[in-house]
Amino acid sequence: MYYVGIDVGGTNLKAGVVDENGHIIAKVDCPTKVERGHEAVVADMAKLALRAIEKSGVSMDEVKSVGIGIPGILDPRTGIVPFCTNLGWHNVPLIELMRKDIDKPIYVDNDATVATLAENVAGVSAGAKSSVFLTLGTGVGGGVVIDGKVYSGAHGVGSELGHMIVVIDGEECTCGNKGCWERYAIATALIRMGTEAAKAHPESVLNEAKSISAKTVVDAAKAGDKAAMEVFDRYTYYLAVGIVNIINFIDPEIIAIGGGVSAAGDFLIQPVREKLAKLVFYKTMPYARVELATLGNDAGIIGAAMLGK
């Protein structure tokens, strides 16, 4: 059997046909154009899925289901997306609209959650009974797989790992709370801390940049700039604090890290591992391996497709 996965983003829609092992057979994409409204976007999602099936050469009878990863949540009781900020969706009957064009079981989950499933099936977490995926970008996306199944909570809003509070009365978050982990573990955190460090240290090479980005801070730290190294050390500490909370609560076999900041590779992973060794509660027991995610931009399609498996 084969499965169709649809990755819904604010800029692009991507769809692919995936086999039992999580390998993409064919994929297609098109612009999202969210300004047209949800009905036009959902219609394009269905058309894209059908195009992917046609391109793959697989018959419709061989397609078991269609899975969709969205930058939001679905109410599992109603099949309705209550809100999806990046798409401007409010109370969208997604499953009902998809079934107008595709007569197959439809599964929907958060995009970070389906990326977690993808890594668990075909990526760095393959074979693990329990795993966590973290994507470090404009926010901290996260997902949890337990016994091979994604965990989304009783109401479909679980695994919002980026919004656990790690600093009381800390930085204000876009969610309205203060001190959420993602305010300290995303690219913006590196920019914020790097900008502060540049002002405090006029001698730092950070001041040579026209504008400070996360890459600016990472590159300066790699080059041995003292101020940038201090910023990066603080950043990896905050990252390790959130990860150790996950380990203490879930005890997964592996934690995969993806997203823009993960481009720093071992320069990011190694200090996080070193800090974790000091932070974990049971220091004489095994604990989750922290690894770089491997599927990149294909994770959304693969994970969405695997919702049906």
Side-chain angles (χ1 to χ4, degrees):
M1 296 300 290
Y2 295 88
Y3 307 83
V4 175
I6 303 174
D7 183 9
V8 182
T11 303
N12 291 301
L13 302 174
K14 296 183 288 184
V17 177
V18 179
D19 68 15
E20 293 272 356
N21 298 313
H23 300 136
I24 297 176
I25 306 302
K27 59 182 176 179
V28 293
D29 62 79
C30 70
T32 308
K33 297 180 181 178
V34 295
E35 68 278 1
R36 298 174 301 155
H38 69 267
E39 289 192 4
V41 173
V42 176
D44 277 357
M45 289 162 56
K47 291 175 186 175
L48 208 60
L50 295 173
R51 274 178 53 202
I53 294 169
E54 183 180 1
K55 184 178 179 180
S56 72
V58 169
S59 72
M60 189 61 79
D61 288 341
E62 294 177 284
V63 175
K64 185 175 181 181
S65 61
V66 175
I68 305 170
I70 60 171
I73 61 168
L74 179 98
D75 186 335
R77 302 167 300 173
T78 63
I80 291 174
V81 177
F83 66 91
C84 194
T85 305
N86 290 355
L87 302 177
W89 287 5
H90 296 277
N91 296 318
V92 172
L94 178 55
I95 291 180
E96 179 185 326
L97 290 173
M98 284 292 293
R99 283 186 174 147
K100 288 182 178 180
D101 297 297
I102 299 179
D103 184 22
K104 293 287 180 180
I106 309 289
Y107 301 93
V108 183
D109 215 318
N110 176 264
D111 52 6
T113 300
V114 302
T116 307
L117 183 57
E119 290 289 344
N120 187 262
V121 171
V124 71
S125 308
K129 287 188 176 181
S130 60
S131 63
V132 171
F133 175 72
L134 301 170
T135 175
L136 311 178
T138 53
V140 173
V144 178
V145 169
I146 298 175
D147 290 332
K149 297 179 181 179
V150 292
Y151 177 77
S152 299
H155 308 99
V157 298
S159 302
E160 287 290 353
L161 304 174
H163 293 284
M164 59 178 156
I165 296 172
V166 297
V167 178
I168 301 300
D169 292 327
E171 294 287 333
E172 188 167 341
C173 183
T174 54
C175 74
N177 286 327
K178 291 183 178 181
C180 290
W181 184 37
E182 76 169 34
R183 303 318 301 162
Y184 300 87
I186 57 174
T188 307
L190 276 172
I191 295 169
R192 183 183 70 249
M193 292 189 289
T195 302
E196 292 169 355
K199 290 178 181 178
H201 299 276
E203 76 286 357
S204 171
V205 297
L206 292 171
N207 290 292
E208 297 175 7
K210 291 183 179 179
S211 61
I212 294 176
S213 65
K215 187 176 185 300
T216 304
V217 177
V218 172
D219 288 347
K222 284 181 177 179
D225 181 78
K226 185 177 179 181
M229 290 172 68
E230 289 177 355
V231 167
F232 198 71
D233 182 66
R234 185 152 45 113
Y235 172 81
T236 55
Y237 175 73
Y238 281 128
L239 193 53
V241 166
I243 290 173
V244 81
N245 284 338
I246 294 168
I247 289 172
N248 288 341
F249 185 64
I250 300 173
D251 186 28
E253 293 174 60
I254 186 168
I255 295 175
I257 296 181
V261 180
S262 71
D266 285 341
F267 189 72
L268 172 74
I269 295 296
Q270 282 305 123
V272 170
R273 288 173 177 160
E274 290 168 7
K275 290 176 173 66
L276 275 178
K278 299 175 183 177
L279 292 171
V280 290
F281 185 50
Y282 293 105
K283 292 181 171 55
T284 59
M285 294 291 290
Y287 56 90
R289 291 177 11 242
V290 178
E291 305 285 353
L292 291 170
T294 59
L295 295 178
N297 293 330
D298 286 338
I301 291 176
I302 297 169
M306 290 296 97
L307 288 173
K309 184 181 179 182

